[in-house]
Amino acid sequence: GIIKESGLKKFNAMLKSDYNFFNDRVKVELLLLGAHVEQASAPIGNNSSTDGSLISQALQWNPTRPLFEDGDFLQPGGVEANPLALLKAYDDQFVMNRIIASVKPTINIAKNLDYSVQIGIDHTHGTREASLKKFYLINSAPNLGQAYYGTMVRTSEQISNTLSWKKDFNTIKLNALLGYEYLRIRVDGKNLTASNFTSDDIDFVKVLQNAPAANTGMSSVAPPDNKLQSFFGRADLNYQDKFLLTATLRADGSSKFGENNRYAMFPSFGFGWNMHEFGFVPESINRLKLRLGWGETGNQQFPEGSATERWAFGSGGGSSTLFQTNVGNPNLRWETTRTINMGLDIELFQSRLAATIDVFDKKTEDIIFFMTTPQPGPAVNYWTNFEDSYIKNTGLELTLDGWIIENSNLKWQLGVNATFLKNSYESDNDVTLLTGTISGKGLSGVTTQVITKGQPLYTYKLREWTGIGEDGFSTYEGFDDVSQSSPKYFSGDPLPDMLLGISSTVTVGNFDATINFNGAFGHQIYNNTANAIFIKGNLGTRNTSRDLIGNGEDVANVSAASTRFLEDADFIRLANLSVGYTIKPTGVFKKMRVYLTGQNLAVFTNYSGFDPEVNTDKNFNGVPSYGIEYTPYPRSRSFIAGVTASF
């Protein structure tokens, strides 16, 4: 890992076999995949205090102060925490074993008529052991020693049945498919906690009984099973490769939704017209295709039991206390996205140059949010649909791909794709949802984003910072005193207006090289790390940013949430560079290629934070957020050397 003591080991093995019987009338596909993962995590959280996260401690440690004193960790206490002491005291190990198995027999019932059934299971067992030693100081006080042990088991069982039929009517080709699918997911977890151990010389997780009974706790997690049942059908019609028509209909039922709305229908249609098959298209155009599409999809990516009244034991008053965790909603229904798209594909110069243009319009309705229960209901949240609101996404996608040079000794391919996006949240009411919580001293409970009508999702709404006044304190548009209610303004959003991708491959003889860039433009990131850590008040005790030296700011200036910490996040990333050499067939090898690949090699941006693509979960009361950075785990730069061979 990038941070010491953190890292990941992963082992995979896969066996895939195909068998044919009875003159190929019966085919059987078998798949078996096993994985073992060992992960050591660093003490980093998305809502840790500024002295409770390793990243923030490392950023704030006074660079003129030693980390050790007389062979021991220097722990000055107060607001300054020794990051190496935390690294030594903290241990967090996660082990996961996963098995995926499936069998899929296909029977040719009659000419052009096949029946397939696939039965699969995905079983995962994870164990986490975490501890914090006693010698580490927390807010100048000795730690009691803490330990956690937890297990989680997730089992997914799936069965799919499909009946497919193909028929060629001379000028018309027809493919039809009917299917049924059932999925069940079960989750079960157990957790043990303990504190106040007698000595650091023991592994706390191995001797949980060493802690006093009053300092131990246990809990279990068993959410309702997630069950999904689907009926679907699809028909593909091809008329002389000139006209193509696809129609699909799905009926999906999920146990996550209310008993009154478990099922929903999702149709879709697609039309293609190969215009190059007609005489009015010039011969210089090798391919010209018009595409039209319309369809609906459903979203059920929400917690199990979202529509169910749920209760739990253990909250404040002890493990025997029963309290409500979720209010049932029998009318909770699918969130639906309706998409309309139109595209054009064209190929020129013996198909050496290809271009596509796509225009799309997406509208998401019945948006599901986790909201506070209206009074006089219980003081807990519930999942509900916003019936009078929708999310609208419109965009234009352009792709250009061509072979600039193509001969026996040299080949050069270049591809560029760009997507232009526009997002807005529309509503018939004036309800505004707050989100984007900010961490740091004096910032608890502060939000920086809103979801409100007429604005993009996760729009920033902040005080407009205008600089440092003559008295050394921040000034704001509409008011000069941060302690009072200065107005907030819409200040941008974290959703890019444009996405860019560039790829190129060059082949010279047996050598090949591929390079990929990706970028995003027209969006902002809120630098919560700078807001909480790089403040003038740190000067003289903790590390801070050199930009604050000599800027006229008073050390007592409050680092309030404002546009001061909102930055443009435009970037271009050299995402991948791979160089390879193919060895000519020799001996037992039919083909062999050696290669070297570098990933995340460079980022070109004016953003001052860790990484312009970093996103920390800063939701507020279950309302999601996007585009906020807070002491994240650093993104790695990696180099991979490999050999691929076939015999």
Side-chain angles (χ1 to χ4, degrees):
I2 298 299
I3 295 176
K4 289 185 175 181
E5 311 299 336
S6 68
L8 176 73
K9 295 179 181 179
K10 185 175 183 179
F11 306 87
N12 285 332
M14 183 178 72
L15 175 65
K16 185 177 181 181
S17 301
D18 299 329
Y19 302 92
N20 297 331
F21 304 96
F22 307 111
N23 295 323
D24 295 338
R25 293 290 299 273
V26 177
K27 299 180 181 180
V28 179
E29 300 175 39
L30 298 178
L31 174 66
L32 181 63
L33 188 148
H36 175 78
V37 177
E38 300 176 5
Q39 180 177 334
S41 299
I44 299 173
N46 59 1
N47 57 1
S48 302
S49 62
T50 53
D51 55 1
S53 170
L54 181 70
I55 295 291
S56 59
Q57 291 176 6
L59 292 173
Q60 293 184 99
W61 182 261
N62 187 334
T64 67
R65 186 192 293 274
L67 290 161
F68 298 92
E69 186 177 57
D70 298 329
D72 293 327
F73 292 108
L74 176 61
Q75 299 194 73
V79 295
E80 194 170 13
N82 188 325
L84 284 187
L86 176 58
L87 198 62
K88 183 67 175 179
Y90 184 81
D91 184 53
D92 191 346
Q93 304 291 329
F94 173 74
V95 177
M96 183 194 75
N97 293 295
R98 184 179 185 185
I99 295 178
I100 300 175
S102 70
V103 56
K104 181 183 179 182
T106 300
I107 304 173
N108 180 228
I109 301 175
K111 185 178 180 180
N112 300 324
L113 183 63
D114 294 329
Y115 168 71
S116 295
V117 57
Q118 182 171 3
I119 302 172
I121 186 168
D122 183 350
H123 180 77
T124 302
H125 183 276
T127 301
R128 182 187 175 200
E129 298 181 355
S131 63
L132 185 65
K133 293 295 187 180
K134 295 169 64 71
F135 73 82
Y136 178 68
L137 299 183
I138 298 179
N139 295 325
S140 302
N143 176 38
L144 297 176
Q146 303 174 26
Y148 166 86
Y149 176 84
T151 64
M152 185 68 71
V153 178
R154 182 183 186 274
T155 303
S156 171
E157 302 166 352
Q158 183 174 8
I159 181 170
S160 300
N161 297 266
T162 58
L163 186 65
S164 59
W165 179 64
K166 299 179 181 180
K167 184 66 175 177
D168 190 346
F169 299 96
N170 295 324
T171 59
I172 297 177
K173 296 179 182 179
L174 178 63
N175 293 342
L177 181 142
L178 293 175
Y180 167 80
E181 185 174 86
Y182 178 79
L183 172 69
R184 183 177 72 170
I185 300 175
R186 291 175 293 169
V187 177
D188 181 79
K190 306 290 187 296
N191 304 285
L192 300 173
T193 59
S195 64
N196 199 7
F197 292 87
T198 57
S199 172
D200 278 342
D201 295 331
I202 56 178
D203 185 345
F204 297 161
V205 179
K206 306 303 183 190
V207 287
L208 294 172
Q209 66 273 22
N210 176 253
N215 293 78
T216 61
M218 64 179 116
S219 63
S220 61
V221 178
D225 288 356
N226 175 20
K227 300 176 182 179
L228 179 66
Q229 182 171 247
S230 303
F231 303 87
F232 53 90
R234 185 183 71 241
D236 297 317
L237 186 67
N238 182 331
Y239 176 71
Q240 295 184 336
D241 289 329
K242 296 179 179 180
F243 298 101
L244 309 171
L245 179 65
T246 298
T248 303
L249 180 63
R250 292 185 62 95
D252 293 316
S254 173
S255 60
K256 292 184 178 182
F257 297 103
E259 57 188 17
N260 298 332
N261 294 295
R262 292 276 170 84
Y263 285 87
M265 303 287 288
F266 302 108
S268 65
F269 302 94
F271 171 75
W273 177 20
N274 286 321
M275 292 185 286
H276 58 271
E277 296 288 343
F278 294 82
F280 62 82
V281 176
E283 292 184 359
S284 58
I285 299 178
N286 307 115
R287 184 170 185 254
L288 184 62
K289 181 179 181 180
L290 176 67
R291 293 176 285 104
L292 301 173
W294 176 93
E296 293 184 345
T297 58
N299 179 19
Q300 57 118 25
Q301 297 302 315
F302 307 99
E304 296 84 354
S306 296
T308 306
E309 182 176 292
R310 300 199 311 274
W311 297 74
F313 287 100
S315 176
S319 60
S320 61
T321 303
L322 185 65
F323 65 101
Q324 192 168 359
T325 60
N326 190 73
V327 173
N329 181 4
N331 296 317
L332 186 68
R333 60 181 176 274
W334 289 78
E335 185 177 281
T336 303
T337 297
R338 184 180 298 110
T339 303
I340 301 175
N341 69 283
M342 179 173 66
L344 186 68
D345 303 332
I346 185 171
E347 294 181 6
L348 304 169
F349 311 119
Q350 286 75 51
S351 298
R352 289 182 58 178
L353 179 63
T356 65
I357 303 174
D358 281 278
V359 179
F360 63 87
D361 183 289
K362 294 183 179 181
K363 185 177 182 181
T364 301
E365 299 178 303
D366 293 329
I367 310 167
I368 296 180
F369 281 115
F370 194 48
M371 301 295 297
T372 301
T373 308
Q375 296 301 311
V380 294
N381 290 4
Y382 78 118
W383 294 88
T384 186
N385 300 93
F386 273 23
E387 299 180 358
D388 50 3
S389 305
Y390 62 90
I391 299 170
K392 187 175 181 65
N393 288 281
T394 56
L396 171 67
E397 297 181 4
L398 303 174
T399 301
L400 188 65
D401 191 14
W403 290 95
I404 300 175
I405 300 175
E406 188 176 18
N407 56 52
S408 58
N409 296 318
L410 175 62
K411 296 180 180 180
W412 179 19
Q413 175 270 337
L414 177 64
V416 179
N417 62 82
T419 303
F420 302 89
L421 302 166
K422 184 177 181 180
N423 170 276
S424 65
Y425 174 78
E426 304 296 339
S427 180
D428 293 335
N429 58 55
D430 295 322
V431 174
T432 295
L433 303 177
L434 303 178
T435 187
T437 58
I438 297 298
S439 298
K441 287 182 170 59
L443 297 170
S444 300
V446 175
T447 60
T448 57
Q449 296 176 323
V450 295
I451 297 178
T452 190
K453 69 176 182 179
Q455 296 292 329
L457 288 175
Y458 320 118
T459 291
Y460 298 106
K461 192 170 186 181
L462 300 161
R463 295 183 178 92
E464 190 72 33
W465 186 73
T466 54
I468 302 297
E470 295 182 358
D471 59 357
F473 291 86
S474 293
T475 58
Y476 300 88
E477 182 71 29
F479 216 90
D480 296 329
D481 187 356
V482 71
S483 64
Q484 300 189 33
S485 299
S486 52
K488 296 182 179 181
Y489 303 92
F490 296 129
S491 310
D493 67 87
L495 304 178
D497 297 330
M498 176 186 175
L499 302 175
L500 178 67
I502 302 173
S503 65
S504 183
T505 298
V506 177
T507 302
V508 181
N510 292 335
F511 288 93
D512 64 88
T514 300
I515 189 169
N516 294 285
F517 292 89
N518 69 278
F521 307 89
H523 62 299
Q524 293 77 39
I525 288 180
Y526 192 86
N527 194 336
N528 189 184
T529 304
N531 193 176
I533 296 172
F534 297 141
I535 57 178
K536 194 64 174 280
N538 275 0
L539 192 62
T541 57
R542 290 172 287 171
N543 193 32
T544 190
S545 170
R546 67 179 62 189
D547 296 335
L548 300 176
I549 307 303
N551 70 339
E553 184 176 359
D554 194 286
V555 294
N557 186 39
V558 177
S559 183
S562 70
T563 57
R564 180 180 186 179
F565 307 101
L566 189 65
E567 303 184 39
D568 288 335
D570 296 353
F571 74 91
I572 294 180
R573 184 188 304 277
L574 175 50
N576 182 284
L577 175 60
S578 182
V579 179
Y581 180 79
T582 301
I583 302 173
K584 293 182 178 180
T586 177
V588 297
F589 295 106
K590 293 182 179 179
K591 185 179 181 181
M592 177 181 289
R593 179 176 179 268
V594 295
Y595 63 90
L596 177 64
T597 299
Q599 297 175 337
N600 188 33
L601 297 178
V603 180
F604 306 94
T605 182
N606 290 325
Y607 178 62
S608 67
F610 275 50
D611 192 289
E613 284 191 286
V614 166
N615 179 58
T616 310
D617 180 12
K618 305 298 290 183
N619 75 84
F620 180 70
N621 288 339
V623 179
S625 71
Y626 188 76
I628 297 177
E629 181 209 281
Y630 181 61
T631 63
Y633 190 95
R635 183 190 292 259
S636 65
R637 177 182 294 116
S638 63
F639 297 91
I640 303 170
V643 178
T644 60
S646 59
F647 304 89

